[in-house]
Amino acid sequence: MSRVSSGFVSFSSGSIRKRSPFITRLALALSFVAVIIITFIALTVFSSNRLMNKKGNVVTNVPSNILPSYSATSFESIDGQTALQGWFFKTKNPISTIIVVHDSGSNRLPFGVEMIDMIEGWLENHYNVFLFDQRNCGTSGGDCCTYGYLEWQDVVGAISIVRQISVTTDVILFGIGTGCTSSVLAYTYLPPEGASEQDLAAYDKNVRNLGFSKSYIAGMVLDSPAKETDDYIKPEVVRTEPLGFITQFAVPYAIRVSSGSSNVSLAAEIARLPIPVFIIYGGHDTFIGADKIDQIITERSRLNSSITKSIMVSGAGYLEEYSINKNLYIETVNDFLNAYFLKDE
């Protein structure tokens, strides 16, 4: 009995000794995987926080004597929590009001002092102009940048204040970079004209109580629109963040979760817009991708060719069209405005 017992003990000990190297290797492998996962999560959180905390520049070095006359305006985003600042330029007998929606990290003068030439041209052609800083940009409030996922509420707030201070009966949104996301989502999240009380019940109360619908947006100019809302974030992650080529898909997801949003097909939304749309982009855009913008234009033209115009500025990269060829930029935008909004005398 004792020999059997002894043999049994000896057998078990041998088994343990044989398994120990395997268990050790497995533990090391699992530890290595755990370190990789923890590092990946840490990098994602770090990058998401850094990008969302990116502060837009304040407008500086603009001599007051070269700016057309304007009224400084304070208003709120429709979230009711974010104070925003803007400038309202008024002209005689205005046709409509152009609201400029800047790129993330920018401000109410996205092309700097050089943009004054375009503003003066709009005023001469009888368009009021409204420039404003989106949240966490310029002199506006807010402490996070969400690349359009929440900024669309700022755009709707801008439309709301324009309705109060302008005599025009509609607005034209001019989205630049992520401002395209803000502008398109603003249109998407507004109720349709003539929506019933039952239909309005499906909308957020801040939207239901606005007193206007999609029909108040008469047209859009989109400078460098992306196919999806995340497409503005991915290349930024790759370009600026540690190991961004690995976290480029996780960081946009984290930003979406933080803003309580979901990825949106901007290409599909732009294609369906029942209003005149003008798309501008650079032929050397490798940030969004000129080929991807071509696809947006193709689909948009297939569905709404009669109310679609576009221009590619050769030699220009992402958001470089204005600096590369300012005259062409201003001229083609004005041609679009005259083609669709100029009223017969």
Side-chain angles (χ1 to χ4, degrees), residues 27-336:
L28 288 173
L30 291 176
S31 298
F32 181 70
V33 170
V35 168
I36 291 176
I37 293 173
I38 291 171
T39 302
F40 177 80
I41 293 173
L43 282 173
T44 299
V45 171
F46 169 80
S47 295
S48 301
N49 288 337
R50 199 190 73 80
L51 292 177
M52 291 182 71
N53 288 325
K54 182 171 70 171
K55 180 75 175 177
N57 298 326
V58 177
V59 175
T60 56
N61 301 322
V62 182
S64 57
N65 62 326
I66 69 171
L67 273 173
S69 177
Y70 68 88
S71 300
T73 307
S74 298
F75 61 104
E76 278 193 344
S77 174
I78 63 162
D79 63 12
Q81 301 174 351
T82 310
L84 306 173
Q85 303 288 327
W87 291 338
F88 178 58
F89 300 84
K90 184 170 64 174
T91 189
K92 293 181 179 179
N93 304 316
I95 297 169
S96 184
T97 299
I98 298 171
I99 299 178
V100 177
V101 188
H102 63 74
D103 186 35
S104 60
S106 185
N107 56 54
R108 70 189 73 176
L109 282 178
F111 302 134
V113 178
E114 290 294 317
M115 190 173 176
I116 292 174
D117 292 336
M118 186 158 61
I119 295 169
E120 289 178 337
W122 289 340
L123 295 172
E124 291 172 3
N125 288 325
H126 301 286
Y127 292 94
N128 287 341
V129 181
F130 190 72
L131 311 178
F132 75 103
D133 297 327
Q134 296 180 81
R135 65 185 61 205
N136 199 39
C137 292
T139 57
S140 286
D143 56 6
C144 70
C145 166
T146 63
Y147 298 84
Y149 283 120
L150 293 179
E151 285 80 358
W152 70 269
Q153 299 176 79
D154 303 345
V155 176
V156 175
I159 297 172
S160 187
I161 192 64
V162 163
R163 288 184 74 238
Q164 299 177 37
I165 63 179
S166 177
V167 298
T168 57
T169 57
D170 54 40
V171 298
I172 298 165
L173 299 182
F174 195 123
I176 300 168
T178 61
C180 295
T181 295
S182 306
S183 299
V184 173
L185 291 186
Y187 183 93
T188 301
Y189 293 147
L190 283 173
E193 185 177 16
S196 66
E197 289 296 325
Q198 183 177 358
D199 292 335
L200 288 174
Y203 290 83
D204 182 89
K205 65 178 181 179
N206 293 328
V207 173
R208 291 199 304 267
N209 298 330
L210 287 170
F212 60 91
S213 64
K214 297 178 189 291
S215 62
Y216 202 76
I217 301 175
M220 287 193 200
V221 178
L222 301 174
D223 183 339
S224 306
K227 292 187 70 174
E228 295 186 344
T229 46
D230 280 358
D231 288 346
Y232 289 107
I233 307 175
K234 293 175 187 175
E236 184 72 8
V237 175
V238 172
R239 186 174 65 177
T240 65
E241 299 306 304
L243 298 180
F245 66 97
I246 295 175
T247 60
Q248 61 176 304
F249 298 100
V251 171
Y253 175 77
I255 292 175
R256 278 190 274 121
V257 170
S258 297
S259 61
S261 306
S262 57
N263 194 14
V264 176
S265 172
L266 292 177
E269 296 295 336
I270 293 170
R272 290 193 294 261
L273 288 172
I275 55 177
V277 173
F278 180 43
I279 296 175
I280 313 170
Y281 66 110
H284 287 177
D285 183 351
T286 57
F287 187 82
I288 295 300
D291 56 331
K292 294 180 180 179
I293 299 176
D294 281 333
Q295 295 170 23
I296 296 174
I297 295 169
T298 298
E299 183 62 13
R300 166 79 193 174
S301 299
R302 185 181 69 83
L303 296 178
N304 288 289
S305 60
S306 64
I307 50 174
T308 301
K309 287 187 178 296
S310 65
I311 185 169
M312 182 270 288
V313 179
S314 60
Y318 177 62
L319 300 185
E320 292 179 346
E321 309 96 304
Y322 195 83
S323 61
I324 292 291
N325 198 331
K326 181 175 73 173
N327 292 334
L328 176 64
Y329 197 106
I330 293 174
E331 178 185 349
T332 53
V333 169
N334 287 338
D335 286 346
F336 167 75

